[in-house]
Amino acid sequence: MHLLETSGLVYTFNGASPVLDGVSLQVQQGSIYGFLGPNGAGKTTTLRLILGLLRRQHGSIKIFETDLAHHRTAILRRVGSLIESPSIYSHLTAEENLRLLQVVYGGPRSRIGEVLHLVGLGDTGKKKAGNFSLGMKQRLAIAIALLNDPELLILDEPTNGLDPNGMIEIRELLKGLNQDNGITILISSHLLAEIDRLVSHVGIISRGQMLFQGTLDELKQQQQEPVCVVLETGNIETTLKVLTANGIAAEVDESRITIPFVTREQIAGLNRLLVAEGVDVYEISVVRNDLESIFIDLVS
């Protein structure tokens, strides 16, 4: 089941070129969906449309299989979000901050202690939020998004600006919310390495258009595709002559020679030719795609 589904979202600011050009997302129930793209790709605009913070111009949005255009209030009661850093009062404790917002969100007072425990801030006591680390402030912001006990959590760049330890803390927090509490999470980011450690599904956007959507495993399958072959030999000049004679283009980087990918049989034959010419062959290795190169190729 798709907990969230958009179809053909188009959005333009002041008659300029479209910021979004036919964006369609399908977020599976129970998933952690990584919405990836470089800065300015259209991620935040998409999330704002999903939350009704921008007026929809073209396309449709369904959450919980219900049209957002006709049931916005009822739908958003079941959604938590963090699009921009919320107003956290530095002179108040974590509990006092939540107590103020609990009045707005409604719900039982006991929910405050529950969310503080969920985000790991249950023992901060009388410590003022102004003395929190950046990671703790971000966890408090997520606690605010959890006050209404959401089924869907939407987060825009939640690890932005955090140090490595802070990023790990947020990653483990989100995994726990998903696995232990059954919350479906849509998280936008431009940090592929961080998303790789967290999500089950991926959507990649660039210049307002979706370039890939599927499971993380489907994206990683592209890693298996070989890109090139690298040779290290004892005689670069003779190696290049052998390659040229056999119609193989090559690039030289210090002691490494890179050629386009060839088959295993061709690699074996090339090795025999080099040995016959008296060239010492130290290494022949196949280079395959990594996630970063796949991402760069898609968005460039």
Side-chain angles (χ1 to χ4, degrees), residues 140-204:
L140 178 55
I142 293 173
I144 293 170
L146 294 171
L147 267 177
N148 62 332
D149 197 12
E151 299 167 54
L152 172 64
L153 186 61
I154 298 176
L155 306 172
D156 190 18
E157 303 271 8
T159 60
N160 201 21
L162 298 182
D163 61 23
N165 285 335
M167 293 171 71
I168 292 171
E169 288 177 0
I170 297 298
R171 183 200 316 153
E172 295 306 311
L173 167 60
L174 297 180
K175 284 182 178 179
L177 292 174
N178 175 254
Q179 296 169 6
D180 301 332
N181 298 87
I183 300 175
T184 301
I185 300 174
L186 169 59
I187 174 173
S188 80
S189 181
H190 63 280
L191 301 172
L192 177 62
E194 182 61 23
I195 287 294
D196 178 30
R197 297 181 175 94
L198 175 63
V199 305
S200 58
H201 293 69
V202 176
I204 297 177

Side-chain angles (χ1 to χ4, degrees), residues 230-251:
V230 175
L231 301 88
E232 292 192 34
T233 71
N235 191 321
I236 292 179
E237 184 178 349
T238 302
T239 301
L240 290 174
K241 287 180 180 178
V242 171
L243 293 172
T244 301
N246 286 272
I248 301 174
E251 295 181 1

Side-chain angles (χ1 to χ4, degrees), residues 8-279:
L9 289 183
V10 176
Y11 196 84
T12 302
F13 287 106
N14 300 322
S17 299
V19 177
L20 303 181
D21 188 8
V23 170
S24 297
L25 297 181
Q26 291 88 40
V27 178
Q28 295 271 16
Q29 183 175 12
S31 67
I32 302 180
Y33 185 107
F35 192 30
L36 275 170
N39 291 328
K43 301 186 300 296
T44 300
T45 300
T46 302
L47 299 186
R48 286 180 174 277
L49 285 168
I50 290 170
L51 292 167
L53 300 175
L54 292 175
R55 186 182 297 274
R56 181 177 54 86
Q57 295 175 345
H58 183 77
S60 64
I61 302 169
K62 287 185 177 181
I63 305 178
F64 311 121
E65 299 185 308
T66 304
D67 192 332
L68 181 68
H70 303 299
H71 303 278
R72 179 176 179 270
T73 301
I75 288 171
L76 294 184
R77 286 197 184 105
R78 302 163 64 187
V79 177
S81 65
L82 175 59
I83 301 299
E84 294 180 349
S85 297
S87 297
I88 294 175
Y89 296 96
S90 298
H91 65 289
L92 300 179
T93 67
E95 181 179 354
E96 289 167 343
N97 269 280
L98 292 181
R99 198 180 301 156
L100 285 176
L101 289 163
Q102 186 262 343
V103 175
V104 177
Y105 283 100
R109 186 78 170 266
S110 60
R111 181 63 181 165
I112 293 174
E114 290 174 6
V115 296
L116 286 175
H117 175 73
L118 280 175
V119 302
L121 295 177
D123 60 353
T124 52
K126 295 183 179 181
K127 185 174 183 178
K128 306 300 183 184
N131 296 322
F132 284 5
S133 68
L134 186 57
M136 292 173 69
K137 289 178 180 176
Q138 199 68 345
R139 282 188 277 150
L140 178 55
I142 293 173
I144 293 170
L146 294 171
L147 267 177
N148 62 332
D149 197 12
E151 299 167 54
L152 172 64
L153 186 61
I154 298 176
L155 306 172
D156 190 18
E157 303 271 8
T159 60
N160 201 21
L162 298 182
D163 61 23
N165 285 335
M167 293 171 71
I168 292 171
E169 288 177 0
I170 297 298
R171 183 200 316 153
E172 295 306 311
L173 167 60
L174 297 180
K175 284 182 178 179
L177 292 174
N178 175 254
Q179 296 169 6
D180 301 332
N181 298 87
I183 300 175
T184 301
I185 300 174
L186 169 59
I187 174 173
S188 80
S189 181
H190 63 280
L191 301 172
L192 177 62
E194 182 61 23
I195 287 294
D196 178 30
R197 297 181 175 94
L198 175 63
V199 305
S200 58
H201 293 69
V202 176
I204 297 177
I205 186 173
S206 181
R207 301 181 183 91
Q209 295 184 330
M210 294 297 294
L211 304 178
F212 174 87
Q213 184 163 226
T215 66
L216 183 61
D217 287 342
E218 288 170 343
L219 181 62
K220 285 185 172 182
Q221 282 178 8
Q222 298 185 33
Q223 284 185 269
Q224 306 307 313
E225 298 176 7
V227 178
C228 61
V229 176
V230 175
L231 301 88
E232 292 192 34
T233 71
N235 191 321
I236 292 179
E237 184 178 349
T238 302
T239 301
L240 290 174
K241 287 180 180 178
V242 171
L243 293 172
T244 301
N246 286 272
I248 301 174
E251 295 181 1
V252 180
D253 179 15
E254 296 181 351
S255 63
R256 295 160 59 90
I257 300 172
T258 303
I259 64 174
F261 176 72
V262 293
T263 65
R264 289 165 57 89
E265 292 75 18
Q266 289 172 309
I267 290 173
L270 180 58
N271 184 57
R272 287 193 295 270
L273 289 173
L274 291 171
V275 172
E277 291 292 328
V279 175

